[in-house]
């Protein structure tokens, strides 16, 4: 029971962060994705990381309204943290020609 609880904690996002489940939208054979992220206002940032691995955090958008992050796909789930509480953001998976087969 204790091991199960520890495993569940390790697979979760940090408090206040949001879990995004893209597993149904990403084919199993895909190992990396390009994620187009748009933010409003442009000076805000969005941080994306693998559940249970906050050290894998990548940030977007460096004073631009949008940016592309290349992310490894483990199980299709990602944690997202906002730099500002009232900011708006959108995620879009970008297909790459080498992924189509």
């Amino acid at each position: 029971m204790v091991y199960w609880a520890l495993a569940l904690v390790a697979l979760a996002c940090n408090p206040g962060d949001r879990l995004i489940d893209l597993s149904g939208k990403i084919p199993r054979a895909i190992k990396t994705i390009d994620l187009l992220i748009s933010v409003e206002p442009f000076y805000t940032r969005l941080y994306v990381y693998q559940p249970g691995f906050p050290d894998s955090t990548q940030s977007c958008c460096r004073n631009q309204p949008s940016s592309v992050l290349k992310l490894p796909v483990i199980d299709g789930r990602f944690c997202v943290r906002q730099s500002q509480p009232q900011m708006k953001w959108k995620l879009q998976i970008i297909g790459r020609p080498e992924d189509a087969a």
Side-chain angles (χ1 to χ4, degrees):
M1 176 78 166
V2 173
Y3 294 112
W4 187 80
L6 289 174
L8 188 60
V9 168
L11 295 175
C13 299
N14 288 337
D17 295 353
R18 182 174 171 184
L19 180 67
I20 304 294
D21 188 354
L22 300 176
S23 60
K25 298 179 183 346
I26 303 172
R28 292 182 188 251
I30 302 295
K31 301 297 181 208
T32 61
I33 60 168
D34 289 337
L35 199 61
L36 174 62
I37 301 173
S38 302
V39 295
E40 285 182 33
F42 73 91
Y43 57 82
T44 58
R45 290 200 179 196
L46 197 69
Y47 302 92
V48 182
Y49 62 93
Q50 298 290 329
F53 299 98
D55 292 341
S56 69
T57 299
Q58 292 189 42
S59 67
C60 164
C61 288
R62 294 187 181 94
N63 292 326
Q64 298 177 349
S66 64
S67 185
V68 176
L69 294 180
K70 185 176 187 125
L71 299 170
V73 176
I74 295 174
D75 63 359
R77 298 179 317 140
F78 301 92
C79 295
V80 176
R81 181 175 71 240
Q82 300 178 185
S83 67
Q84 305 289 324
Q86 300 299 322
M87 68 183 281
K88 296 179 183 178
W89 51 271
K90 290 192 303 186
L91 304 176
Q92 181 179 352
I93 300 170
I94 301 174
R96 296 186 307 240
E98 64 269 13
D99 294 338

